[in-house]
Amino acid sequence: MTRPRVCSTRMSRGASRERYGGRRSMTAGLVAVVAAGLAACGAEESPALPEATTGRTAAPTANRVSIEFQLRAEPEEAAVYEAVVEAYEQEHLEVDIEMVPLSGDDHLTRLTTAFASGEPPDVFLLNYREYAPFVQRGAIEPIGPLLDVDLTTYFPEPVAAFTISDTLQCMPQNVSSLVVYYNRELFAAAGVTIPPDSWTWAQFADAARALTTDDVHGVGLDPRLRRLAPFVWSNGGEIVDDTVAPTAMTLGEPAAREALELLVALQAEGVSPSGEDVAAAGLDEQFINGTLAMYLSSRVDTPQFREQDLDFDVAPLPVLQEPVSVLHSDAYCLATGVDTADAAVDFIRFAAGEQGQRIAALGGRTVPSLISVAESPAFLNPTVQPASSQVFLDAVPLLRRTPVITTWSEVEDVVDGLLAQAFYEGRPLDEVLVEIEQSANPLLAAGSLPR
Amino acid sequence: MRAAATVLLAGAFVTPMALMVLGSLRSPLLPPAAGLDVWPDDPRWSNYDSVGSFLDWPTYLLNSAAVVSVAVPVTVLVSSAAGFLLRFGSTKTRWWVGAACALGLLVPASALWIPRVVLIRSIGLADHTLSIVPSIVAATAPFGVLLFFLAYARLPPAWFDVAATEGLSSLRTWWRIALPAARGASFALALITFVYAWSDFIDPLTLVSSPQRWPLALGLRSLADSEATLYPIYLAAAVLATAPAALVFLVTRRAIFTVATGER
C-alpha cells in the first residue's frame, strides 16, 4: 500500500513568522510558504504553482483587464487569498486583480453602498447566510450557467446552499462545520478521554465538568444561534417552522427548548466562562491560553491554534438524539452587469478549482468544497494539527443549514442578543424564548425568499 | 482637590493610550495575557518594524496627511464664510444658511451614506484619496458655521460699520476683519476637523475602492479582526496611527490656549 505523500508545511505559523520576523510583504511571505507547501505536496498532487511567487515577469499592456475582488478577511486570511490571486495572475498576465480585504461588518457595508451607487466589486465572497438580499435585488449574476465545471465533484451541501430556483448563484469554496476543539494536555491531566467515533451529550457534559478547575473552564459555550442550532436539531427540534420559507421561530417547542435548557444549565454550573470572562478575553483566546479545555468552532480558528504550542485536536459535536452539525460556507459571487465578466468568471473557476482550493487549504483555514482537495493531504495532512481533520469531512453529510431569506442576518442579531441574556445574565429561558418569538417573527414575516 | 480631579481626568484619557503602547510591546504569536499585563517581560520594539509587513502604513499615512491638509483649511474657510453670511447676510441668505446647517446637524450621518456615495460617484470623484474631503466638510462644517456665527456675534458692530463706510466689500470685510478676529474659532474648528478627518473610516470605506488610496484609519481597521496573538502588531499600528494626531495637539497646544483665551 502506498502511503500518501504529505504536505509538511505549517503554513500559517510559517507565514506569520515570516512576516513578523522580517520586512517582507505580506503576500510575498505567504505566497512563498504556499509555494513551499505545494512543492512539498508533490507535483502529482497539485498543478505547479507558476514561478511563483517571485514576481510577474511579463507585463502585457494591451487588453489588460482589472477585476476588483472584495472579501471579509483578517490579515492572515487575506494573505491566503492573496496567494490565490497571485497564482492566478501568474497564469494570466493580462489580468490585474485588486483585492479589497475588509474586516467584520465593513464588508457588507461597503457591498451595500457600492451596489447602491452602481459600482460594485466584480467578484466578492459571501456567506450563504448573507447572500439572499443580494440575490433578491438582482445584484448577483448566477454563476452556474457561466461556469463550465462538474458540480458533482463538489460536496452537495454547500452547492445546495448557494442554489436558488435550480440555479447556482455563487460558487462555494468551503464547507466547514461546527466541531469541538479540545486541549489534549488538559484532557490527559484530567484523565478524560473522548470516545473514538461519537459521544453523547452526557459524556460531553461530564467531560466539561471533569475538566473544570479553579483555573480552567471545561467548555466555552457561545450563545449565538448558529452555534446552538446544531444542538437543537440534534435533539429533534427546529429553530424555525420551515427552513425554506420560515414564518416563526420554534425555539420554544419542547425538543428545542429541552436542548437549550441543557446548554443553559451547563453554563449555570460554571463549567463555561461567564459573560465577564468572555468580555475580558474571547473564547478563542482562552483556548489559546490553556484556560479553556473545549471550544466549539469551525475550521476558521485552526491556523491561530497551530501558531501556538498547543496540543489540540478536534472531535465531532456531541449527540443528543441524532448526529448533526451546521453548515459554514462562503462562495465567490459575480456582480451583475460587470464589464469584465469573462475574466471574473475565469478567476472564480480558478479560485474554486483544484489549484485555488489547494492553496486555500494549505492556509489551514478552510475545508475545501472540492471533494478531491478535501480528501487530499493538502487538507488531511496528519502531520499538522488537528490530526483528526477527517472529523470535518465526516460531518459534511450531517450538515444542516439556516434559512436563506433576506432578513436572516437581522433575525440572528435579535436572537443572539436575547440568548446571551439567558446564558450570561441569568434571565429565565422561557421569558427569553417568548421575547425571541415576539421580536424575530415579524422579521421572518418581513423577509422574502430570493427568486 | 483640584489637583486630584485634574489627575483623575487626565488619567482617564492617558491610561487607555498607555495600555495601547504597552500592549504594542508584547511578543506576538504568544498566547494573550491572562488578565492585565502592565509591563511585558520582554518588550518588543521590533513590533513597530513588523507593522509594515501587515500594513502599508507609510502610504496610508501620506494619504491621511493629504486628506487633512485639504479638508481642514477648506472646512475652516467654508464655515467661516457661511458663518459670516449667517451673521451679516440678508434675511433670505441667513434663512438658507441656517436651514442648511440645521439639516446638516440633524440628519443622522448613516442616513446619508448611500446618497453621498451615489452623488460623489456620479460626478466621477470616487476612488481618489481626496474623494472623502467633501464628506468631511459636509460633516463638520454645519457645526463650524454656528461656531463662527457666535464668534462674529461677539465682535463690535462698529468694526463692520466702519468697513462699510470705507467701502469694503463683504468679501474683503470677511477676509480682512472677521476671519482674523475669530482666530479662536478657527483653531477650534481646525482641531475638530483634523480629529474627525484623521479617524474617519466610514467615508473612505464607501468611497475609496483601491486599498493603496486608503487613509490610515481605514488601513488600521483592516487589522481589527486580527487573530488574538497578533494584537501586539495591531496595537503597534494603532500607536503609529495615533502618534501624528497626538503630535499635532502637542505642537499646537500652546497656540490654541493662547488664541482661545486671548492671552499673549
Side-chain angles (χ1 to χ4, degrees), chain A residues 17 19-20 22 74 103-104 106 110 117 119 285 289 307-308 365, chain B residues 28-29 31-32 44 47 50 53-54 121 205 209 221 225 227-229:
Chain A
R17 299 222 181 270
R19 294 159 65 190
Y20 173 65
E74 46 79 28
S103 64
D106 291 353
R110 186 173 184 280
S117 66
E119 292 189 34
E285 293 174 56
N289 274 328
E307 288 165 1
Q308 307 303 314
R365 194 175 301 267
Chain B
L29 302 179
R44 302 294 286 268
N47 286 350
S50 301
S53 300
F54 291 81
R121 283 189 186 273
L205 173 70
S209 302
R221 180 127 173 124
D225 282 348
E227 294 169 359
T229 54

PDB file of all heavy atoms in Angstrom, chain A residues 17 19-20 22 74 103-104 106 110 117 119 285 289 307-308 365, chain B residues 28-29 31-32 44 47 50 53-54 121 205 209 221 225 227-229:
ATOM      1  N   ARG A  17       5.437  33.943  11.007  1.00  0.00           N
ATOM      2  CA  ARG A  17       6.801  34.197  11.449  1.00  0.00           C
ATOM      3  C   ARG A  17       7.589  34.910  10.354  1.00  0.00           C
ATOM      4  O   ARG A  17       8.419  35.748  10.640  1.00  0.00           O
ATOM      5  CB  ARG A  17       7.474  32.887  11.836  1.00  0.00           C
ATOM      6  CG  ARG A  17       6.758  32.189  12.980  1.00  0.00           C
ATOM      7  CD  ARG A  17       7.709  31.615  13.996  1.00  0.00           C
ATOM      8  NE  ARG A  17       6.979  30.938  15.058  1.00  0.00           N
ATOM      9  CZ  ARG A  17       6.567  31.538  16.151  1.00  0.00           C
ATOM     10  NH1 ARG A  17       6.788  32.820  16.318  1.00  0.00           N
ATOM     11  NH2 ARG A  17       5.924  30.870  17.082  1.00  0.00           N
ATOM     12  N   ARG A  19       6.421  37.020   8.373  1.00  0.00           N
ATOM     13  CA  ARG A  19       6.022  38.410   8.371  1.00  0.00           C
ATOM     14  C   ARG A  19       6.468  39.117   9.632  1.00  0.00           C
ATOM     15  O   ARG A  19       6.840  40.268   9.615  1.00  0.00           O
ATOM     16  CB  ARG A  19       4.508  38.492   8.218  1.00  0.00           C
ATOM     17  CG  ARG A  19       4.062  37.989   6.896  1.00  0.00           C
ATOM     18  CD  ARG A  19       2.628  37.600   6.929  1.00  0.00           C
ATOM     19  NE  ARG A  19       1.801  38.768   7.160  1.00  0.00           N
ATOM     20  CZ  ARG A  19       0.518  38.684   7.415  1.00  0.00           C
ATOM     21  NH1 ARG A  19      -0.061  37.526   7.493  1.00  0.00           N
ATOM     22  NH2 ARG A  19      -0.177  39.762   7.596  1.00  0.00           N
ATOM     23  N   TYR A  20       6.401  38.387  10.708  1.00  0.00           N
ATOM     24  CA  TYR A  20       6.775  39.023  11.948  1.00  0.00           C
ATOM     25  C   TYR A  20       8.279  39.254  11.997  1.00  0.00           C
ATOM     26  O   TYR A  20       8.774  40.278  12.431  1.00  0.00           O
ATOM     27  CB  TYR A  20       6.341  38.184  13.146  1.00  0.00           C
ATOM     28  CG  TYR A  20       6.880  38.747  14.413  1.00  0.00           C
ATOM     29  CD1 TYR A  20       6.462  39.994  14.833  1.00  0.00           C
ATOM     30  CD2 TYR A  20       7.859  38.085  15.123  1.00  0.00           C
ATOM     31  CE1 TYR A  20       6.985  40.554  15.975  1.00  0.00           C
ATOM     32  CE2 TYR A  20       8.371  38.650  16.262  1.00  0.00           C
ATOM     33  CZ  TYR A  20       7.941  39.875  16.691  1.00  0.00           C
ATOM     34  OH  TYR A  20       8.464  40.427  17.801  1.00  0.00           O
ATOM     35  N   GLY A  22      10.484  39.501   9.523  1.00  0.00           N
ATOM     36  CA  GLY A  22      11.153  40.296   8.516  1.00  0.00           C
ATOM     37  C   GLY A  22      10.302  41.430   8.018  1.00  0.00           C
ATOM     38  O   GLY A  22       9.242  41.706   8.537  1.00  0.00           O
ATOM     39  N   GLU A  74      -9.532  38.798   7.867  1.00  0.00           N
ATOM     40  CA  GLU A  74      -8.498  39.406   8.698  1.00  0.00           C
ATOM     41  C   GLU A  74      -7.147  39.185   8.004  1.00  0.00           C
ATOM     42  O   GLU A  74      -7.077  38.429   7.042  1.00  0.00           O
ATOM     43  CB  GLU A  74      -8.562  38.884  10.132  1.00  0.00           C
ATOM     44  CG  GLU A  74      -8.707  37.399  10.293  1.00  0.00           C
ATOM     45  CD  GLU A  74      -7.402  36.692  10.110  1.00  0.00           C
ATOM     46  OE1 GLU A  74      -6.360  37.297  10.388  1.00  0.00           O
ATOM     47  OE2 GLU A  74      -7.419  35.538   9.665  1.00  0.00           O
ATOM     48  N   SER A 103     -12.685  44.107   7.169  1.00  0.00           N
ATOM     49  CA  SER A 103     -12.944  43.391   8.420  1.00  0.00           C
ATOM     50  C   SER A 103     -14.419  43.455   8.783  1.00  0.00           C
ATOM     51  O   SER A 103     -15.113  44.413   8.448  1.00  0.00           O
ATOM     52  CB  SER A 103     -12.114  43.992   9.550  1.00  0.00           C
ATOM     53  OG  SER A 103     -12.523  45.320   9.775  1.00  0.00           O
ATOM     54  N   GLY A 104     -14.871  42.422   9.447  1.00  0.00           N
ATOM     55  CA  GLY A 104     -16.201  42.397  10.056  1.00  0.00           C
ATOM     56  C   GLY A 104     -17.324  42.906   9.173  1.00  0.00           C
ATOM     57  O   GLY A 104     -17.444  42.533   8.001  1.00  0.00           O
ATOM     58  N   ASP A 106     -17.712  45.727   7.885  1.00  0.00           N
ATOM     59  CA  ASP A 106     -17.324  46.658   6.829  1.00  0.00           C
ATOM     60  C   ASP A 106     -17.566  46.054   5.453  1.00  0.00           C
ATOM     61  O   ASP A 106     -17.859  46.760   4.490  1.00  0.00           O
ATOM     62  CB  ASP A 106     -15.842  47.038   6.959  1.00  0.00           C
ATOM     63  CG  ASP A 106     -15.589  47.903   8.180  1.00  0.00           C
ATOM     64  OD1 ASP A 106     -16.575  48.302   8.838  1.00  0.00           O
ATOM     65  OD2 ASP A 106     -14.408  48.179   8.481  1.00  0.00           O
ATOM     66  N   ARG A 110     -19.790  48.056   2.777  1.00  0.00           N
ATOM     67  CA  ARG A 110     -19.249  48.545   1.510  1.00  0.00           C
ATOM     68  C   ARG A 110     -19.968  47.913   0.319  1.00  0.00           C
ATOM     69  O   ARG A 110     -20.220  48.582  -0.686  1.00  0.00           O
ATOM     70  CB  ARG A 110     -17.754  48.263   1.429  1.00  0.00           C
ATOM     71  CG  ARG A 110     -17.123  48.884   0.215  1.00  0.00           C
ATOM     72  CD  ARG A 110     -15.613  48.767   0.212  1.00  0.00           C
ATOM     73  NE  ARG A 110     -15.082  49.472  -0.938  1.00  0.00           N
ATOM     74  CZ  ARG A 110     -15.060  48.964  -2.162  1.00  0.00           C
ATOM     75  NH1 ARG A 110     -15.550  47.761  -2.382  1.00  0.00           N
ATOM     76  NH2 ARG A 110     -14.585  49.657  -3.171  1.00  0.00           N
ATOM     77  N   SER A 117     -24.655  52.503  -5.470  1.00  0.00           N
ATOM     78  CA  SER A 117     -24.102  53.541  -6.339  1.00  0.00           C
ATOM     79  C   SER A 117     -23.798  53.006  -7.735  1.00  0.00           C
ATOM     80  O   SER A 117     -23.341  53.748  -8.594  1.00  0.00           O
ATOM     81  CB  SER A 117     -22.821  54.106  -5.716  1.00  0.00           C
ATOM     82  OG  SER A 117     -21.828  53.106  -5.678  1.00  0.00           O
ATOM     83  N   GLU A 119     -21.552  50.768  -8.662  1.00  0.00           N
ATOM     84  CA  GLU A 119     -20.170  50.385  -8.940  1.00  0.00           C
ATOM     85  C   GLU A 119     -19.702  49.316  -7.957  1.00  0.00           C
ATOM     86  O   GLU A 119     -18.829  49.545  -7.128  1.00  0.00           O
ATOM     87  CB  GLU A 119     -19.252  51.608  -8.861  1.00  0.00           C
ATOM     88  CG  GLU A 119     -19.512  52.609  -9.971  1.00  0.00           C
ATOM     89  CD  GLU A 119     -18.452  53.708 -10.013  1.00  0.00           C
ATOM     90  OE1 GLU A 119     -17.290  53.418  -9.710  1.00  0.00           O
ATOM     91  OE2 GLU A 119     -18.828  54.845 -10.316  1.00  0.00           O
ATOM     92  N   GLU A 285      -9.231  33.088  22.644  1.00  0.00           N
ATOM     93  CA  GLU A 285      -8.046  33.485  23.422  1.00  0.00           C
ATOM     94  C   GLU A 285      -7.894  32.600  24.651  1.00  0.00           C
ATOM     95  O   GLU A 285      -6.778  32.210  25.020  1.00  0.00           O
ATOM     96  CB  GLU A 285      -8.157  34.944  23.857  1.00  0.00           C
ATOM     97  CG  GLU A 285      -8.087  35.939  22.711  1.00  0.00           C
ATOM     98  CD  GLU A 285      -8.341  37.360  23.196  1.00  0.00           C
ATOM     99  OE1 GLU A 285      -7.620  37.806  24.094  1.00  0.00           O
ATOM    100  OE2 GLU A 285      -9.267  38.008  22.676  1.00  0.00           O
ATOM    101  N   ASN A 289      -4.806  30.281  25.638  1.00  0.00           N
ATOM    102  CA  ASN A 289      -4.141  30.449  26.930  1.00  0.00           C
ATOM    103  C   ASN A 289      -4.111  29.175  27.764  1.00  0.00           C
ATOM    104  O   ASN A 289      -3.453  29.116  28.792  1.00  0.00           O
ATOM    105  CB  ASN A 289      -4.854  31.530  27.758  1.00  0.00           C
ATOM    106  CG  ASN A 289      -4.348  32.903  27.430  1.00  0.00           C
ATOM    107  OD1 ASN A 289      -3.182  33.071  27.106  1.00  0.00           O
ATOM    108  ND2 ASN A 289      -5.226  33.890  27.480  1.00  0.00           N
ATOM    109  N   GLU A 307      -0.387  28.126  15.510  1.00  0.00           N
ATOM    110  CA  GLU A 307       0.747  29.012  15.778  1.00  0.00           C
ATOM    111  C   GLU A 307       1.259  28.883  17.205  1.00  0.00           C
ATOM    112  O   GLU A 307       2.339  29.367  17.527  1.00  0.00           O
ATOM    113  CB  GLU A 307       0.345  30.465  15.507  1.00  0.00           C
ATOM    114  CG  GLU A 307       0.188  30.779  14.037  1.00  0.00           C
ATOM    115  CD  GLU A 307      -0.542  32.090  13.801  1.00  0.00           C
ATOM    116  OE1 GLU A 307      -0.910  32.755  14.785  1.00  0.00           O
ATOM    117  OE2 GLU A 307      -0.747  32.434  12.628  1.00  0.00           O
ATOM    118  N   GLN A 308       0.455  28.265  18.055  1.00  0.00           N
ATOM    119  CA  GLN A 308       0.826  28.150  19.459  1.00  0.00           C
ATOM    120  C   GLN A 308       1.446  26.784  19.746  1.00  0.00           C
ATOM    121  O   GLN A 308       1.439  25.897  18.907  1.00  0.00           O
ATOM    122  CB  GLN A 308      -0.418  28.337  20.336  1.00  0.00           C
ATOM    123  CG  GLN A 308      -1.180  29.598  20.035  1.00  0.00           C
ATOM    124  CD  GLN A 308      -0.303  30.834  20.175  1.00  0.00           C
ATOM    125  OE1 GLN A 308       0.421  30.958  21.158  1.00  0.00           O
ATOM    126  NE2 GLN A 308      -0.351  31.743  19.215  1.00  0.00           N
ATOM    127  N   ARG A 365      -7.307  27.244   6.948  1.00  0.00           N
ATOM    128  CA  ARG A 365      -8.497  27.908   7.471  1.00  0.00           C
ATOM    129  C   ARG A 365      -9.796  27.395   6.844  1.00  0.00           C
ATOM    130  O   ARG A 365     -10.867  27.638   7.368  1.00  0.00           O
ATOM    131  CB  ARG A 365      -8.350  29.404   7.194  1.00  0.00           C
ATOM    132  CG  ARG A 365      -9.283  30.304   7.927  1.00  0.00           C
ATOM    133  CD  ARG A 365      -8.900  31.737   7.624  1.00  0.00           C
ATOM    134  NE  ARG A 365      -7.526  32.007   8.018  1.00  0.00           N
ATOM    135  CZ  ARG A 365      -7.164  32.502   9.180  1.00  0.00           C
ATOM    136  NH1 ARG A 365      -8.085  32.801  10.055  1.00  0.00           N
ATOM    137  NH2 ARG A 365      -5.901  32.719   9.465  1.00  0.00           N
TER     138      ARG A 365
ATOM    139  N   PRO B  28       4.409  39.051  19.879  1.00  0.00           N
ATOM    140  CA  PRO B  28       3.325  38.476  19.092  1.00  0.00           C
ATOM    141  C   PRO B  28       3.468  36.965  18.997  1.00  0.00           C
ATOM    142  O   PRO B  28       4.514  36.403  19.344  1.00  0.00           O
ATOM    143  CB  PRO B  28       3.500  39.134  17.718  1.00  0.00           C
ATOM    144  CG  PRO B  28       4.922  39.508  17.659  1.00  0.00           C
ATOM    145  CD  PRO B  28       5.388  39.754  19.063  1.00  0.00           C
ATOM    146  N   LEU B  29       2.416  36.333  18.519  1.00  0.00           N
ATOM    147  CA  LEU B  29       2.378  34.883  18.318  1.00  0.00           C
ATOM    148  C   LEU B  29       2.477  34.094  19.621  1.00  0.00           C
ATOM    149  O   LEU B  29       2.728  32.905  19.616  1.00  0.00           O
ATOM    150  CB  LEU B  29       3.479  34.422  17.350  1.00  0.00           C
ATOM    151  CG  LEU B  29       3.438  35.058  15.970  1.00  0.00           C
ATOM    152  CD1 LEU B  29       4.583  34.542  15.113  1.00  0.00           C
ATOM    153  CD2 LEU B  29       2.106  34.789  15.298  1.00  0.00           C
ATOM    154  N   PRO B  31       0.452  33.317  23.437  1.00  0.00           N
ATOM    155  CA  PRO B  31      -0.895  33.437  23.988  1.00  0.00           C
ATOM    156  C   PRO B  31      -1.116  34.814  24.603  1.00  0.00           C
ATOM    157  O   PRO B  31      -0.205  35.374  25.215  1.00  0.00           O
ATOM    158  CB  PRO B  31      -0.911  32.349  25.074  1.00  0.00           C
ATOM    159  CG  PRO B  31       0.125  31.376  24.660  1.00  0.00           C
ATOM    160  CD  PRO B  31       1.190  32.179  23.981  1.00  0.00           C
ATOM    161  N   PRO B  32      -2.311  35.374  24.419  1.00  0.00           N
ATOM    162  CA  PRO B  32      -2.599  36.672  25.033  1.00  0.00           C
ATOM    163  C   PRO B  32      -2.461  36.579  26.548  1.00  0.00           C
ATOM    164  O   PRO B  32      -2.626  35.501  27.122  1.00  0.00           O
ATOM    165  CB  PRO B  32      -4.043  36.942  24.625  1.00  0.00           C
ATOM    166  CG  PRO B  32      -4.341  35.984  23.528  1.00  0.00           C
ATOM    167  CD  PRO B  32      -3.442  34.814  23.714  1.00  0.00           C
ATOM    168  N   ARG B  44       9.027  44.275  23.009  1.00  0.00           N
ATOM    169  CA  ARG B  44       9.418  44.040  21.619  1.00  0.00           C
ATOM    170  C   ARG B  44       9.177  45.297  20.799  1.00  0.00           C
ATOM    171  O   ARG B  44       8.137  45.475  20.189  1.00  0.00           O
ATOM    172  CB  ARG B  44       8.624  42.865  21.046  1.00  0.00           C
ATOM    173  CG  ARG B  44       8.787  41.578  21.822  1.00  0.00           C
ATOM    174  CD  ARG B  44      10.211  41.048  21.746  1.00  0.00           C
ATOM    175  NE  ARG B  44      10.491  40.490  20.448  1.00  0.00           N
ATOM    176  CZ  ARG B  44      10.332  39.214  20.146  1.00  0.00           C
ATOM    177  NH1 ARG B  44       9.895  38.383  21.064  1.00  0.00           N
ATOM    178  NH2 ARG B  44      10.603  38.771  18.949  1.00  0.00           N
ATOM    179  N   ASN B  47       8.165  45.177  17.062  1.00  0.00           N
ATOM    180  CA  ASN B  47       6.794  45.089  16.548  1.00  0.00           C
ATOM    181  C   ASN B  47       6.497  46.242  15.595  1.00  0.00           C
ATOM    182  O   ASN B  47       5.731  46.094  14.648  1.00  0.00           O
ATOM    183  CB  ASN B  47       5.790  45.130  17.710  1.00  0.00           C
ATOM    184  CG  ASN B  47       5.768  43.834  18.492  1.00  0.00           C
ATOM    185  OD1 ASN B  47       6.354  42.843  18.066  1.00  0.00           O
ATOM    186  ND2 ASN B  47       5.118  43.847  19.636  1.00  0.00           N
ATOM    187  N   SER B  50       7.560  45.458  12.291  1.00  0.00           N
ATOM    188  CA  SER B  50       6.725  44.417  11.666  1.00  0.00           C
ATOM    189  C   SER B  50       5.409  44.955  11.125  1.00  0.00           C
ATOM    190  O   SER B  50       4.785  44.310  10.286  1.00  0.00           O
ATOM    191  CB  SER B  50       6.433  43.312  12.680  1.00  0.00           C
ATOM    192  OG  SER B  50       7.636  42.749  13.142  1.00  0.00           O
ATOM    193  N   SER B  53       4.909  44.935   7.485  1.00  0.00           N
ATOM    194  CA  SER B  53       4.656  43.677   6.790  1.00  0.00           C
ATOM    195  C   SER B  53       3.173  43.383   6.688  1.00  0.00           C
ATOM    196  O   SER B  53       2.746  42.583   5.867  1.00  0.00           O
ATOM    197  CB  SER B  53       5.342  42.521   7.521  1.00  0.00           C
ATOM    198  OG  SER B  53       6.725  42.736   7.580  1.00  0.00           O
ATOM    199  N   PHE B  54       2.396  44.002   7.546  1.00  0.00           N
ATOM    200  CA  PHE B  54       0.960  43.761   7.544  1.00  0.00           C
ATOM    201  C   PHE B  54       0.184  44.916   6.923  1.00  0.00           C
ATOM    202  O   PHE B  54      -0.947  44.750   6.505  1.00  0.00           O
ATOM    203  CB  PHE B  54       0.460  43.566   8.985  1.00  0.00           C
ATOM    204  CG  PHE B  54       0.922  42.300   9.620  1.00  0.00           C
ATOM    205  CD1 PHE B  54       2.184  42.204  10.167  1.00  0.00           C
ATOM    206  CD2 PHE B  54       0.097  41.191   9.656  1.00  0.00           C
ATOM    207  CE1 PHE B  54       2.623  41.026  10.757  1.00  0.00           C
ATOM    208  CE2 PHE B  54       0.520  40.012  10.243  1.00  0.00           C
ATOM    209  CZ  PHE B  54       1.785  39.927  10.785  1.00  0.00           C
ATOM    210  N   ARG B 121     -19.910  59.430  -6.580  1.00  0.00           N
ATOM    211  CA  ARG B 121     -19.538  58.531  -7.686  1.00  0.00           C
ATOM    212  C   ARG B 121     -20.095  59.049  -9.004  1.00  0.00           C
ATOM    213  O   ARG B 121     -19.449  58.954 -10.043  1.00  0.00           O
ATOM    214  CB  ARG B 121     -20.047  57.116  -7.421  1.00  0.00           C
ATOM    215  CG  ARG B 121     -19.214  56.345  -6.417  1.00  0.00           C
ATOM    216  CD  ARG B 121     -19.643  54.886  -6.359  1.00  0.00           C
ATOM    217  NE  ARG B 121     -18.953  54.155  -5.307  1.00  0.00           N
ATOM    218  CZ  ARG B 121     -17.781  53.555  -5.443  1.00  0.00           C
ATOM    219  NH1 ARG B 121     -17.155  53.609  -6.601  1.00  0.00           N
ATOM    220  NH2 ARG B 121     -17.228  52.917  -4.440  1.00  0.00           N
ATOM    221  N   LEU B 205     -14.292  53.971   3.368  1.00  0.00           N
ATOM    222  CA  LEU B 205     -14.768  52.598   3.137  1.00  0.00           C
ATOM    223  C   LEU B 205     -15.773  52.561   1.992  1.00  0.00           C
ATOM    224  O   LEU B 205     -15.769  51.644   1.172  1.00  0.00           O
ATOM    225  CB  LEU B 205     -15.414  52.058   4.423  1.00  0.00           C
ATOM    226  CG  LEU B 205     -16.114  50.698   4.320  1.00  0.00           C
ATOM    227  CD1 LEU B 205     -15.085  49.587   4.133  1.00  0.00           C
ATOM    228  CD2 LEU B 205     -16.943  50.418   5.558  1.00  0.00           C
ATOM    229  N   SER B 209     -12.163  52.750  -3.356  1.00  0.00           N
ATOM    230  CA  SER B 209     -12.085  51.305  -3.591  1.00  0.00           C
ATOM    231  C   SER B 209     -10.671  50.777  -3.415  1.00  0.00           C
ATOM    232  O   SER B 209     -10.457  49.737  -2.788  1.00  0.00           O
ATOM    233  CB  SER B 209     -12.568  50.977  -5.006  1.00  0.00           C
ATOM    234  OG  SER B 209     -13.868  51.413  -5.199  1.00  0.00           O
ATOM    235  N   ARG B 221      -8.116  49.744  10.347  1.00  0.00           N
ATOM    236  CA  ARG B 221      -9.352  48.984  10.577  1.00  0.00           C
ATOM    237  C   ARG B 221      -9.241  47.575   9.978  1.00  0.00           C
ATOM    238  O   ARG B 221      -9.842  46.643  10.485  1.00  0.00           O
ATOM    239  CB  ARG B 221     -10.513  49.736   9.946  1.00  0.00           C
ATOM    240  CG  ARG B 221     -11.818  49.050  10.127  1.00  0.00           C
ATOM    241  CD  ARG B 221     -12.855  49.942  10.732  1.00  0.00           C
ATOM    242  NE  ARG B 221     -14.129  49.294  10.741  1.00  0.00           N
ATOM    243  CZ  ARG B 221     -14.856  49.104  11.820  1.00  0.00           C
ATOM    244  NH1 ARG B 221     -14.415  49.531  12.979  1.00  0.00           N
ATOM    245  NH2 ARG B 221     -16.017  48.514  11.758  1.00  0.00           N
ATOM    246  N   ASP B 225      -9.645  42.730  12.907  1.00  0.00           N
ATOM    247  CA  ASP B 225     -10.065  41.347  13.144  1.00  0.00           C
ATOM    248  C   ASP B 225      -8.883  40.392  13.222  1.00  0.00           C
ATOM    249  O   ASP B 225      -9.052  39.186  13.040  1.00  0.00           O
ATOM    250  CB  ASP B 225     -11.000  40.887  12.014  1.00  0.00           C
ATOM    251  CG  ASP B 225     -12.397  41.436  12.207  1.00  0.00           C
ATOM    252  OD1 ASP B 225     -12.671  41.957  13.300  1.00  0.00           O
ATOM    253  OD2 ASP B 225     -13.204  41.350  11.270  1.00  0.00           O
ATOM    254  N   GLU B 227      -5.998  37.907  14.450  1.00  0.00           N
ATOM    255  CA  GLU B 227      -6.006  36.872  15.477  1.00  0.00           C
ATOM    256  C   GLU B 227      -5.505  37.473  16.786  1.00  0.00           C
ATOM    257  O   GLU B 227      -4.681  38.401  16.787  1.00  0.00           O
ATOM    258  CB  GLU B 227      -5.074  35.733  15.061  1.00  0.00           C
ATOM    259  CG  GLU B 227      -5.561  34.983  13.833  1.00  0.00           C
ATOM    260  CD  GLU B 227      -4.497  34.050  13.287  1.00  0.00           C
ATOM    261  OE1 GLU B 227      -3.390  34.021  13.861  1.00  0.00           O
ATOM    262  OE2 GLU B 227      -4.769  33.372  12.292  1.00  0.00           O
ATOM    263  N   ALA B 228      -5.975  36.906  17.875  1.00  0.00           N
ATOM    264  CA  ALA B 228      -5.623  37.454  19.188  1.00  0.00           C
ATOM    265  C   ALA B 228      -4.113  37.517  19.390  1.00  0.00           C
ATOM    266  O   ALA B 228      -3.598  38.434  20.032  1.00  0.00           O
ATOM    267  CB  ALA B 228      -6.265  36.609  20.280  1.00  0.00           C
ATOM    268  N   THR B 229      -3.404  36.562  18.819  1.00  0.00           N
ATOM    269  CA  THR B 229      -1.957  36.531  19.035  1.00  0.00           C
ATOM    270  C   THR B 229      -1.232  37.616  18.242  1.00  0.00           C
ATOM    271  O   THR B 229      -0.041  37.817  18.435  1.00  0.00           O
ATOM    272  CB  THR B 229      -1.397  35.166  18.630  1.00  0.00           C
ATOM    273  OG1 THR B 229      -1.809  34.882  17.288  1.00  0.00           O
ATOM    274  CG2 THR B 229      -1.898  34.082  19.551  1.00  0.00           C
TER     275      THR B 229
END
